[in-house]
Amino acid sequence: YIFNLTSDPKKVYYGRYADLGALRMSQIVLPVAPADLLMLVGVNPLPVAEPAGGHVEHFAGGKLLVETPDRRWRLLIDPKTHLPERIDMLDAAGQSVLTCRLADFDRIDVAAALGPFMATSIHIQAVGEDGELDLRLNAMTDARDTNRLRDMAFDFDALVRALQPDEQVELKPQ
């Protein structure tokens, strides 16, 4: 499910991403599957290069431009910090469909000695569309001590009651 609380009327879209066709997917503000969202915000590691894999180039301002072996992702990486500043999801023609700008990195507090860094300021824009998403994260942990990540945070019915969308749109297979 995806809640769009900035539209008028406020809407929630729900269904299984695996069942969606391109036309229904285009009705969503940001047409991205949950697994792709993790790559887009810089959580997933880069895929391992194969012999005919991706490539790395130096880009303006000394940044590294990295394209993954499957040609689905293009990343702009700061060579000093090794952190992504921008990640683009590409279509079959190699054109950007979604662009994510990442900033204000902070270390995630984990039980291990040093946790990974993650952007706390995330801006995703649908290229050529009005759809965009801004995320601000803080106090990121693995929730080992506080058990802060509760099932209720993912309970569709509880979220509908709390956020009160005007319309519920079921995304069905084409």
Side-chain angles (χ1 to χ4, degrees), residues 7 12 43 84 105 128 132 135:
S7 67
V12 60
V43 172
F105 284 82
E132 63 183 342
L135 297 173

Side-chain angles (χ1 to χ4, degrees), residues 66-84:
V66 177
E67 192 168 287
T68 59
D70 60 7
R71 306 283 193 247
R72 289 195 61 225
W73 304 98
R74 188 175 299 131
L75 298 86
L76 191 62
I77 297 176
D78 183 326
K80 293 178 184 163
T81 64
H82 300 213
L83 296 171

Side-chain angles (χ1 to χ4, degrees), residues 1 12 23 43-44 47 53 61-62 74 105 112 114 123 130 165:
Y1 47 86
V12 60
L23 293 176
V43 172
N44 286 352
R74 188 175 299 131
F105 284 82
L114 289 176
H123 178 78
D130 291 334

Side-chain angles (χ1 to χ4, degrees), residues 83-97:
L83 296 171
E85 294 182 352
R86 175 178 163 163
I87 300 176
D88 287 27
M89 187 170 105
L90 309 176
D91 63 14
Q95 300 299 310
S96 294
V97 177

